[in-house]
């Protein structure tokens, strides 16, 4: 009976150790996940800013092309 109790104590200690390891791994996972989420959010902000800059550049190029066409139309007679 004492041997069985000792085995149970040992098993309980092993389970406790495994639970502590699991908690530690979970905490590490949560920290890494938080870092990755912060990076993802930063990348998304950067992408959004770049998209806005591209849209602005596209509008500027469109306006430039329109003005060039107006100049050409004004100085080159229509045939």
């Amino acid at each position: 009976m004492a041997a069985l109790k000792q085995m149970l104590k040992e098993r309980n200690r092993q389970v406790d150790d495994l639970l502590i390891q699991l908690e530690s791994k979970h905490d590490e996972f949560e920290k890494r996940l938080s870092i990755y989420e912060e990076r993802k959010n930063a990348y998304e902000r950067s992408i959004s800013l770049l998209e806005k800059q591209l849209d602005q550049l596209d509008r500027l190029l469109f306006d430039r092309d329109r003005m060039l066409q107006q100049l050409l139309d004004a100085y080159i007679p229509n045939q």
Side-chain angles (χ1 to χ4, degrees):
M1 191 66 145
L4 183 58
K5 284 183 181 181
Q6 185 60 32
M7 282 179 33
L8 286 174
K9 281 183 185 180
E10 181 60 26
R11 286 288 182 199
N12 285 339
R13 188 191 61 74
Q14 289 175 348
V15 167
D16 289 342
D17 289 346
L18 289 173
L19 287 172
I20 290 169
Q21 289 177 14
L22 181 62
E23 277 184 37
S24 174
K25 294 292 181 185
H26 180 73
D27 290 345
E28 182 180 335
F29 172 80
E30 290 295 325
K31 287 177 188 175
R32 287 185 180 187
L33 181 61
S34 175
I35 290 169
Y36 292 141
E37 286 176 347
E38 287 174 12
R39 288 180 184 169
K40 178 183 150 253
N41 291 336
Y43 292 143
E44 286 175 347
R45 286 190 301 272
S46 294
I47 288 169
S48 178
L49 179 61
L50 289 171
E51 286 173 339
K52 288 177 185 176
Q53 290 174 345
L54 283 172
D55 286 343
Q56 184 180 15
L57 180 59
D58 190 44
R59 285 191 303 276
L60 290 172
L61 290 173
F62 178 79
D63 290 343
R64 182 206 63 178
D65 290 346
R66 186 179 42 80
M67 287 188 287
L68 286 173
Q69 188 61 50
Q70 287 173 347
L71 284 172
L72 285 172
D73 291 343
Y75 290 105
I76 297 176
N78 291 332
Q79 295 179 345

